Amino acid sequence: MELDVALLSRLQFAFTVSFHIIFPSITIGLATLIAIWEGLWLKTGNPQYLQLAKFWIKPFAITFGMGVVSGIVLSYEFGTNFSKFSELAGAVLGPLMAYEVLTAFFLEAGFLGVMLFGWQRVSAKMHFFATVTVAIGTWISAFWIIAANSWMQTPQGHQWVNGKLEVASWLEVIFNPSMPYRLVHMLLAAMITATFVVMATHAWYLKRGEHQDFGRKGLSMMLWFALVLTPLQAWVGDLHGLNVKEHQPVKLAAMEGIWQEKETNVPLLLFALPDMKNETNHAELALPGVASLILTHNWHGELQGLKSVPAADRPYVPMVFFSFRVMVGIGVLMIGVALVGNYLRYRGTLYQANWFLTPVSWLAPAGVIAVLAGWYVVEIGRQPWLVYGLIRTSDVVSPLPAERVLFSLTLFVLAYSLLFAVYLYFMRKLIKKGPAPVEQLQQQRIGVKASGYALSFTKQLADESEGTH
Amino acid sequence: MELSLGLPLFYFLLLGFAVLMYVLLDGFDLGIGILYPWFNTDAEHDHLMRSVSHVWDGNETWLVFGGVILFGAFPAAYAAIASQFYLPIVLMLLGLIFRGVAFEYRFKSDSSRRWWNTAFAAGSSLAAFCQGLMLGTLVQGSSDSLLNQSSLNWLSPFSLFCGFAVMAGYALLACCYLVMKSRGELQQKAARYGQRLLLAVMLAMLLVSLWTVFIEAEIRLRWFGGWHGLWFVPLPLLSLLAARLLFRDLGRVQRQFQAEQEVQSRHEDRPFWLAASLFLFAFAGLVVSVFPYLLPRQLDYLQAAAPDSSLQFMLPGIFIFVPLICAYTLWGYRIFAGKVEDFQEGY
Ligand code: HDD
Ligand code: HEM
Ligand code: HEM
């Protein structure tokens, strides 16, 4: 079999970027939560907040580390695997990523050291400042990379000069039509992902009867967050969908499984098996007219279907179709969990309701799965275009020897699988170990206020524990 | 050689600055990994890791910065270099991945600690070696079109030699960093290794210089072809001076210790700056040799430059943020200034 470089490069990019996004979608939210807890602790003096911050900072640290190392790969992969694309579009995407590094990556990295290791070296306020800065850094980073990605979805503000893309208006490039929706949707997604990771962990503690106070505090807080964030996300997602309808109608047709060139009264497909060869669906389970209603706000609204463009210009429909259902399905499930959980707390039975806590403790990966599914909708739905309507993916792959890409892909798969297993192992270990008792933190708290003293205090603690060996 | 002042030249220099910052900063922390196998006890390994665990991320960000400046300001060069160096880049990235995660996992592991030690040492060495390999290829230039992506021209005796030379250089930086950050036996060990590595590095620099000057007619012409070559004479001389002072300081650190005196802090701190300036001079010499090319004799910085609209757009960001970044990076180093303590801080 002839190896296809284009396919291998795409597989490699898809694999490495999917691996990467797992970690940012947790760290963006978790950094924000930790900053909130630390702020609350400073404000109220309630040590439970310090306990939350100090416990979650460890899973945060390993997740962040994974995010950094997997991200560096991506910033070089544009050039290694899509060299022609880098040459054609570098003048547009490069500066956006340069701003990401200048305004976000350095900021995150610069203050991360203090956030993780500086507890005994700076005052509590300074430490809080470092944590907030790291959190803001992750948001800024999302801003730029989403701007870059959204431009590839809905390009504007560019012009072709001598066969390469140049920018006519940076404002138009950055604030392209899909960017605001994608940014808000992604940041909410990250908050929700972290919320459910934390919620699931605390539910697990409660279910096992461990760390009761800690478990309750976290679970209760996260239920409030979920109650606000998940419906908001569904609403933003709906707006996002309307935006897709306007700018990428073919993608929308794939998401909804619409084949006819023009269709009115479009049903909402809960399930179906899209068949690309015969250009139709099998085994449909449909709510008549509902898709029209959602997308045009009219039962009889007209939508464009896949047949409106030649087969060569259509994405791989089943993947887009199912990914979309996975994401929305998880979104609806999360809304349900938020509603039921808040109701149970109102009734006062939440912390004993094992029938509820047990399934919630399984939801830790739900956010990550929804994020990946969402990105598959966006990215696979854009195919065969790399920059929608401008550059075809197959035209701009590096003309590398196929074996070389196969080799690197194999290495990445092996290395990342290994690392992912290790990551899960250590996350499990940290969570099993549980939080440090409040009393111990109280002791350290004395230190945090007077930084010079704190260092010698820690040293003394270390010496004492040395002595007892 | 025509100097046309303008945005592309500014970005060429900025790229040089980014690479230099990367080499100095990640140099010492990759070097710690390269030295790792020469330290044996758990306590020593703890110490080595701790000395850089709060800065490695920031140091590596300079690599990302260099990459995106190349991408944004010289897209054609980014495309050509990255795809041409496909395998060395992929291997370098894998090396960086394994050493990067070792920081987090090693301190949290019990039974798997051995593996993280290996991952840290091997990952750091691999990354440094690949960087040297690419550097060697860039200096050496090639008759083979660099745009031919199936070529393996990065694999030559010269580039392999440069791979080891860069490893030795990074290890030297790391020794000097350790002399600054530690005390007692460990510091002594670092000073001893440092002296030996310094000799190796100087020898490598000499060989590389001779090699390029004799093999590459164009480089020879630049250094020896006319009076303007005189401008460059200070570079080798300054390098020699820096090496001489560095060797002496490292020796003093050892003598003071043997004489059971307090090691003087200026002798502890100065080696690092001397080693850094040695790198600076070598780097300047390199720039003199390859200017104005991004890919020697194939693609110069004017040909590869992005349109002005892109170069101008990045300017305000660079002028505002690069100084800011330097300021808070310095602040971060100040907070963790002084010797590494032998107990777990933070979290
Ligand atoms: C919505 C968020 C988001 C998305 C879509 C991406 N990233 Fe990312 N990335 C982050 C959010 C993020 C982050 C939150 O800022 C990270 C995660 C952990 C971290 O250290 O920063 C990060 C780290 C990170 C790093 C390491 C930064 C460092 O050295 O500190 C690089 C080089 C990239 N990313 C590059 C990319 C590229 C080239 C992407 C697209 C193909 C990409 N990221 C998608
Ligand atoms: C982080 C979340 C992301 C995920 C999970 C993701 C996922 C994917 C997937 C699955 C593909 C392969 C599509 C196919 O070939 O069928 C792809 C392609 C691609 N994506 Fe993304 N993507 C993400 C973000 C981004 C961002 C932020 C950018 C750019 C700034 C980007 C640029 C690209 C490029 C250049 C390709 C080209 C290869 C191709 O089309 O196959 N992606 N991505
Ligand atoms: C519940 C209702 C939801 C709806 C109606 C919805 C709708 C959408 C739509 C229309 C897109 C964009 C497709 C495109 O631009 O091609 C999208 C993308 C995405 N979705 Fe959702 N979504 C929902 C829930 C969620 C949830 C719960 C998460 C994660 C926790 C999530 C994460 C994402 C991500 C990461 C993307 C890709 C990036 C982006 O375009 O913002 N979504 N979603």
Side-chain angles (χ1 to χ4, degrees):
Chain A
M1 195 187 81
E2 191 63 30
L3 286 171
D4 178 5
V5 195
L7 185 68
L8 288 171
S9 280
R10 289 172 62 182
L11 268 177
Q12 176 170 311
F13 193 87
F15 179 72
T16 48
V17 77
S18 301
F19 186 75
H20 175 63
I21 194 61
I22 294 175
F23 307 103
S25 45
I26 298 174
T27 48
I28 296 172
L30 210 48
T32 312
L33 288 178
I34 292 172
I36 292 174
W37 288 321
E38 234 187 293
L40 284 172
W41 167 62
L42 281 179
K43 190 150 184 282
T44 64
N46 180 350
Q48 270 197 310
Y49 290 119
L50 180 63
Q51 194 186 23
L52 277 164
K54 279 220 157 187
F55 172 74
W56 279 103
I57 206 167
K58 289 177 194 153
F60 170 78
I62 61 176
T63 314
F64 202 94
M66 297 285 278
V68 170
V69 295
S70 61
I72 294 175
V73 173
L74 296 181
S75 58
Y76 280 87
E77 218 170 5
F78 289 115
T80 51
N81 291 68
F82 299 92
S83 59
K84 283 188 201 151
F85 168 63
S86 313
E87 211 175 330
L88 291 182
V92 184
L93 294 180
L96 297 179
M97 289 168 60
Y99 267 99
E100 185 183 14
V101 178
L102 285 169
T103 58
F105 289 160
F106 275 117
L107 199 67
E108 294 170 50
F111 287 85
L112 184 75
V114 177
M115 176 183 175
L116 296 185
F117 302 102
W119 286 98
Q120 288 91 22
R121 290 192 181 240
V122 295
S123 70
K125 286 224 175 75
M126 196 65 215
H127 190 272
F128 175 59
F129 176 74
T131 310
V132 171
T133 309
V134 171
I136 292 177
T138 63
W139 290 58
I140 300 177
S141 153
F143 173 88
W144 291 109
I145 198 74
I146 294 282
N149 180 276
S150 297
W151 178 82
M152 291 164 61
Q153 304 288 338
T154 50
Q156 67 170 26
H158 57 271
Q159 63 201 33
W160 287 99
V161 178
N162 301 331
K164 292 185 188 174
L165 285 162
E166 269 190 25
V167 171
S169 157
W170 281 102
L171 276 180
E172 282 188 26
V173 165
I174 296 172
F175 297 99
N176 60 73
S178 64
M179 186 269 184
Y181 299 96
R182 185 162 292 110
L183 179 64
V184 175
H185 196 61
M186 178 66 216
L187 289 176
L188 279 173
M191 287 306 299
I192 293 175
T193 304
T195 300
F196 274 81
V197 169
V198 175
M199 189 195 289
T201 310
H202 286 247
W204 188 73
Y205 286 145
L206 287 175
K207 180 190 84 171
R208 291 166 48 110
E210 296 171 351
H211 317 296
Q212 291 290 323
D213 290 341
F214 180 70
R216 287 179 187 203
K217 186 85 194 164
L219 178 64
S220 170
M221 247 186 118
M222 289 308 106
L223 280 173
W224 284 118
F225 272 72
L227 188 64
V228 177
L229 294 175
T230 51
L232 199 60
Q233 177 74 325
W235 180 61
V236 173
D238 179 43
L239 294 180
H240 201 357
L242 295 180
N243 186 265
V244 177
K245 182 187 84 159
E246 197 177 325
H247 296 279
Q248 295 176 300
V250 184
K251 185 199 276 182
L252 186 86
M255 281 156 60
E256 299 294 349
I258 307 169
W259 290 98
Q260 297 310 323
E261 207 166 311
K262 292 268 182 262
E263 198 170 325
T264 51
N265 267 331
V266 187
L268 182 69
L269 301 176
L270 295 180
F271 183 83
L273 295 173
D275 177 347
M276 289 188 58
K277 224 195 265 92
N278 298 316
E279 306 189 327
T280 181
N281 299 324
H282 305 295
E284 284 188 7
L285 177 64
L287 302 177
V290 176
S292 280
L293 182 70
I294 295 177
L295 288 161
T296 64
H297 297 206
N298 174 349
W299 288 98
H300 306 292
E302 186 181 83
L303 292 173
Q304 187 181 339
L306 287 156
K307 283 191 200 165
S308 62
V309 294
D313 286 354
R314 297 177 200 157
Y316 182 65
V317 181
M319 196 63 191
V320 181
F321 182 85
F322 286 116
S323 299
F324 187 62
R325 269 147 198 74
V326 167
M327 171 182 67
V328 176
I330 291 178
V332 172
L333 178 74
M334 285 173 160
I335 296 178
V337 168
L339 290 175
V340 173
N342 278 287
Y343 176 71
L344 288 177
R345 186 185 42 209
Y346 168 73
R347 292 285 304 273
T349 55
L350 173 65
Y351 305 119
Q352 291 76 40
N354 273 350
W355 63 268
F356 177 73
L357 296 176
T358 308
V360 167
S361 70
W362 298 331
L363 283 185
V368 168
I369 297 171
V371 165
L372 281 172
W375 276 107
Y376 291 159
V377 176
V378 177
E379 300 285 314
I380 299 173
R382 183 190 60 203
Q383 303 299 323
W385 301 101
L386 189 48
V387 180
Y388 196 68
L390 292 181
I391 300 176
R392 273 175 200 272
T393 312
S394 51
D395 293 342
V396 291
V397 178
S398 308
L400 291 158
E403 308 77 54
R404 218 174 279 182
V405 184
L406 183 65
F407 175 69
S408 63
L409 176 59
T410 315
L411 284 184
F412 277 120
V413 172
L414 290 177
Y416 281 7
S417 309
L418 177 72
L419 285 183
F420 196 61
V422 169
Y423 171 74
L424 291 179
Y425 168 80
F426 279 101
M427 280 295 264
R428 208 179 105 97
K429 187 166 161 177
L430 287 175
I431 286 173
K432 272 197 141 167
K433 194 166 151 216
V438 174
E439 301 77 53
Q440 191 185 326
L441 294 171
Q442 293 282 55
Q443 264 190 327
Q444 281 188 4
R445 192 186 142 193
I446 310 166
V448 177
K449 283 201 170 144
S451 51
Y453 168 72
L455 203 59
S456 55
F457 178 70
T458 323
K459 192 174 164 65
Q460 185 193 330
L461 281 185
D463 288 346
E464 276 167 17
S465 66
E466 196 88 331
T468 55
H469 280 322
Chain B
M1 173 172 53
E2 284 292 314
L3 266 187
S4 70
L5 294 172
L7 281 176
L9 181 66
F10 170 77
Y11 280 94
F12 186 80
L13 295 177
L14 181 71
L15 190 64
F17 173 70
V19 173
L20 184 66
M21 285 300 275
Y22 173 72
V23 166
L24 290 181
L25 293 175
D26 216 25
F28 76 74
D29 94 43
L30 287 172
I32 297 276
I34 298 168
L35 286 178
Y36 214 66
W38 278 269
F39 291 83
N40 350 46
T41 65
D42 241 12
E44 283 180 334
H45 284 161
D46 274 355
H47 185 102
L48 258 58
M49 277 264 192
R50 255 186 219 131
S51 70
V52 290
S53 60
H54 55 286
V55 294
W56 72 272
D57 181 11
N59 295 347
E60 229 162 83
T61 307
W62 288 97
L63 179 67
V64 183
F65 185 58
V68 297
I69 286 296
L70 193 62
F71 188 21
F74 305 106
Y78 170 78
I81 294 177
S83 55
Q84 167 70 29
F85 287 139
Y86 190 79
L87 282 184
I89 287 186
V90 167
L91 292 177
M92 172 187 83
L93 292 171
L94 281 166
L96 290 178
I97 290 175
F98 276 100
R99 80 180 290 273
V101 297
F103 281 104
E104 283 301 328
Y105 295 141
R106 184 176 176 279
F107 284 115
K108 297 184 177 63
S109 62
D110 312 308
S111 51
S112 59
R113 176 161 291 205
R114 238 160 23 94
W115 294 104
W116 298 117
N117 287 343
T118 314
F120 183 59
S124 307
S125 308
L126 179 65
F129 183 76
C130 291
Q131 287 168 10
L133 206 66
M134 291 188 269
L135 177 78
T137 314
L138 284 179
V139 175
Q140 168 193 32
S142 125
S143 49
D144 203 354
S145 166
L146 270 167
L147 302 172
N148 167 11
Q149 302 178 349
S150 50
S151 130
L152 287 175
N153 63 8
W154 41 267
L155 205 61
S156 72
F158 180 72
S159 64
L160 289 172
F161 179 77
C162 287
F164 289 112
V166 164
M167 278 175 72
Y170 284 176
L172 170 64
L173 270 178
C175 283
C176 299
Y177 181 72
L178 283 175
V179 167
M180 180 162 64
K181 295 296 274 185
S182 37
R183 316 182 170 92
E185 282 301 335
L186 206 138
Q187 185 188 43
Q188 292 304 307
K189 225 171 170 175
R192 270 200 311 278
Y193 290 149
Q195 282 189 317
R196 281 179 233 165
L197 281 164
L198 177 61
L199 296 178
V201 168
M202 290 310 286
L203 194 66
M205 271 167 69
L206 182 72
L207 277 176
V208 169
S209 311
L210 291 179
W211 200 322
T212 43
V213 166
F214 280 109
I215 293 183
E216 298 296 324
E218 206 168 319
I219 296 181
R220 179 165 61 236
L221 219 61
R222 180 154 308 161
W223 285 87
F224 301 113
W227 290 110
H228 67 254
L230 278 183
W231 286 100
F232 309 139
V233 170
L235 283 177
L237 292 183
L238 282 171
S239 311
L240 277 177
L241 182 68
R244 171 76 195 94
L245 293 176
L246 175 54
F247 197 84
R248 202 182 55 184
D249 269 345
L250 290 176
R252 278 188 183 147
V253 167
Q254 294 172 50
R255 261 175 279 126
Q256 285 167 0
F257 184 78
Q258 275 153 14
E260 298 190 1
Q261 293 165 349
E262 181 92 12
V263 180
Q264 287 184 18
S265 68
R266 65 198 160 99
H267 299 147
E268 294 179 325
D269 295 349
R270 210 161 46 191
F272 184 74
W273 300 108
L274 287 169
S277 48
L278 196 60
F279 266 73
L280 177 71
F281 301 138
F283 188 74
L286 181 78
V287 174
V288 168
S289 298
V290 300
F291 187 86
Y293 293 108
L294 287 164
L295 283 181
R297 285 169 287 301
Q298 309 237 3
L299 192 61
D300 69 34
Y301 74 98
L302 285 171
Q303 292 164 329
D308 277 354
S309 58
S310 300
L311 299 183
Q312 277 161 0
F313 174 64
M314 289 188 284
L315 276 185
I318 288 161
F319 281 116
I320 297 172
F321 288 102
V322 171
L324 254 174
I325 290 164
C326 293
Y328 62 65
T329 304
L330 212 64
W331 172 78
Y333 276 88
R334 294 258 322 257
I335 286 184
F336 294 95
K339 305 286 181 189
V340 179
E341 301 296 344
D342 285 322
F343 54 86
Q344 174 87 50
E345 268 184 60
Y347 284 86

